Amino acid sequence: MKEAILKCLKETDGYVSGQRLCEMCGVSRTAIWKVMSQLREEGYEIDAVKNRGYRLTSAPDRITPEEIYSHLKTKWACRPTVYYEETDSTNDRIRKLYTEGYGHGTLAVTELQNAGKGRRGRVWQSPKGTNIAHSLLLIPEIHPMNASMLTLVAGLAVCQVLSREVPDARIKWPNDVVIGGKKVCGILTEMSCEMDYINYVVLGIGLNVNTETFPEEIEAVATSLYLATGKKYSRSELIANIWEAFESVYETFIRTEDMPGLMDAYNKLLVSKDRQVMIEERGTRSTGIAEGIDREGCLIVRMEDGSKRHIMSGEVSVRGVLGYV
Ligand code: BTN
């Protein structure tokens, strides 16, 4: 009911009469009044005028299910959304939710992770209340060998959404989205599978949204949407937009279980396309020119000796010759 009332207040320019809300929800005026009190406690400013009704004058930047649903246009992604004020890692929450019977499309979202995980055993830290840390549960009917492509699918969706705000947002294959050469988003994909069968995939996405300053150690390589544009963003709206874009890219991917339908879009946004990259594997370094991804999501690199390598994600580290990008 709270969600429906919030949606109605948001969609209405002026006042919404108490009577209309009562009829919409099939409850008494007292019940509506109680919801308004709850919303005010959560930081919403609601004007109440006798004989006119209620009007929303300002909404806090919250990422509760009600806020997310009020923007969400997906068929299955983020349905349901499970919110934690604070948790260890949303990827770990999704594993737990799966064992409790939650299904494909469930989203776990939090204001604060106290054990956020990055790739290669790194820590993912993000201050409370300014960024996005969330994970989606997928139960895809694809071969486990193809699961790593889901990271590319997610990266493409995030980059498409960010590039509406920042035209030079790019994908750093395979897991990051960057703006001006600095990381704005990291993706951690985890999977539980049998030999030829996926139990589930967790797609964890961390996005720096409204952060104003970063610790000195990462200042040179990290950025936020705010730092890139000077604008503050509604995180719930971004979440809704990301998963709407993801749903569409995912459905294209699932139809073929490889990347042909997405390769062009992906390669257009690939930061290293036609640029020199350094490949690090087992202590050795070599350089080449990145040509784009192939239909399996491998990065094609033309090496200095003219040979071509198709690099699988997770196999080696690929970075720019002058630094991170
Ligand atoms: C990386 O760049 O190394 C990946 C970072 C992934 C961070 C996200 S935040 C939400 C989800 N929960 C986690 O513990 N990690 C991912």
Side-chain angles (χ1 to χ4, degrees):
M1 176 163 84
K2 198 160 79 180
E3 183 197 319
I5 292 176
L6 194 56
K7 193 160 192 275
C8 182
L9 287 174
K10 280 191 171 167
E11 284 170 355
T12 313
D13 246 353
Y15 286 84
V16 185
S17 75
Q19 184 60 32
R20 185 171 148 212
L21 293 173
C22 291
E23 280 163 16
M24 186 180 88
C25 302
V27 294
S28 68
R29 279 187 182 255
T30 318
I32 297 292
W33 180 84
K34 278 189 186 150
V35 172
M36 295 300 169
S37 308
Q38 277 173 21
L39 288 171
R40 285 194 183 106
E41 264 166 38
E42 289 171 18
Y44 294 90
E45 285 173 25
I46 298 164
D47 205 16
V49 175
K50 216 168 178 234
N51 295 330
R52 293 183 79 182
Y54 299 96
R55 186 170 68 99
L56 184 66
T57 54
S58 92
D61 181 36
R62 304 203 79 219
I63 47 171
T64 54
E66 288 91 11
E67 273 297 327
I68 295 171
Y69 294 149
S70 77
H71 301 286
L72 198 65
K73 297 195 194 85
T74 58
K75 290 189 283 253
W76 51 266
C78 312
R79 301 188 189 276
T81 290
V82 184
Y83 172 78
Y84 305 89
E85 191 68 28
E86 178 171 347
T87 190
D88 43 7
S89 149
T90 51
N91 272 32
D92 294 343
R93 286 303 95 210
I94 285 290
R95 286 174 182 280
K96 181 88 193 327
L97 290 170
Y98 173 80
T99 61
E100 288 169 12
Y102 281 79
H104 184 72
T106 302
L107 185 80
V109 60
T110 188
E111 278 294 356
L112 180 64
Q113 292 187 126
N114 52 41
K117 300 183 288 185
R119 291 174 72 217
R120 299 171 197 266
R122 281 184 273 222
V123 172
W124 180 265
Q125 273 176 326
S126 180
K128 189 172 182 176
T130 57
N131 294 333
I132 293 173
H134 61 358
S135 307
L136 194 85
L137 172 60
L138 294 172
I139 307 181
E141 287 178 10
I142 59 172
H143 196 279
M145 291 232 312
N146 295 334
S148 64
M149 281 189 258
L150 290 168
T151 306
L152 310 193
V153 170
L156 176 57
V158 172
C159 195
Q160 283 175 343
V161 171
L162 298 193
S163 57
R164 292 176 205 157
E165 294 298 324
V166 190
D168 72 337
R170 291 287 178 275
I171 303 165
K172 179 178 178 292
W173 180 91
N175 293 77
D176 299 342
V177 179
V178 296
I179 295 176
K182 294 182 174 186
K183 178 160 165 171
V184 68
C185 169
I187 302 171
L188 176 67
T189 308
E190 297 180 300
M191 172 169 67
S192 155
C193 68
E194 314 297 326
M195 281 288 278
D196 57 354
Y197 180 84
I198 293 179
N199 296 318
Y200 64 89
V201 170
V202 187
L203 212 49
I205 301 182
L207 177 65
N208 300 328
V209 182
N210 293 323
T211 300
E212 293 179 10
T213 52
F214 284 95
E216 222 176 294
E217 320 85 80
I218 56 167
E219 202 176 45
V221 289
T223 191
S224 68
L225 266 183
Y226 169 75
L227 288 174
T229 62
K231 282 199 313 203
K232 292 279 171 106
Y233 288 85
S234 151
R235 291 174 299 153
S236 53
E237 197 173 343
L238 272 173
I239 291 172
N241 290 342
I242 286 171
W243 295 110
E244 187 186 344
F246 175 80
E247 211 177 68
S248 144
V249 179
Y250 177 85
E251 284 173 4
T252 306
F253 167 72
I254 286 298
R255 272 199 291 278
T256 49
E257 220 176 292
D258 59 18
M259 297 295 286
L262 302 168
M263 260 161 57
D264 283 355
Y266 193 96
N267 287 334
K268 276 199 188 103
L269 291 171
L270 184 64
V271 72
S272 56
K273 174 115 173 59
D274 301 325
R275 282 169 54 175
Q276 199 174 26
V277 290
M278 184 162 68
I279 300 167
E280 272 182 31
E281 55 193 325
R282 292 183 294 274
T284 62
R285 288 175 169 185
S286 46
T287 55
I289 305 288
E291 293 192 338
I293 58 161
D294 66 13
R295 57 185 300 141
E296 265 113 43
C298 296
L299 185 71
I300 309 166
V301 180
R302 186 162 33 83
M303 305 307 293
E304 273 166 1
D305 63 5
S307 65
K308 273 196 185 171
R309 286 193 58 185
H310 291 240
I311 297 166
M312 270 175 68
S313 66
E315 199 180 52
V316 295
S317 142
V318 179
R319 54 196 308 142
V321 278
L322 297 176
Y324 163 65
V325 166

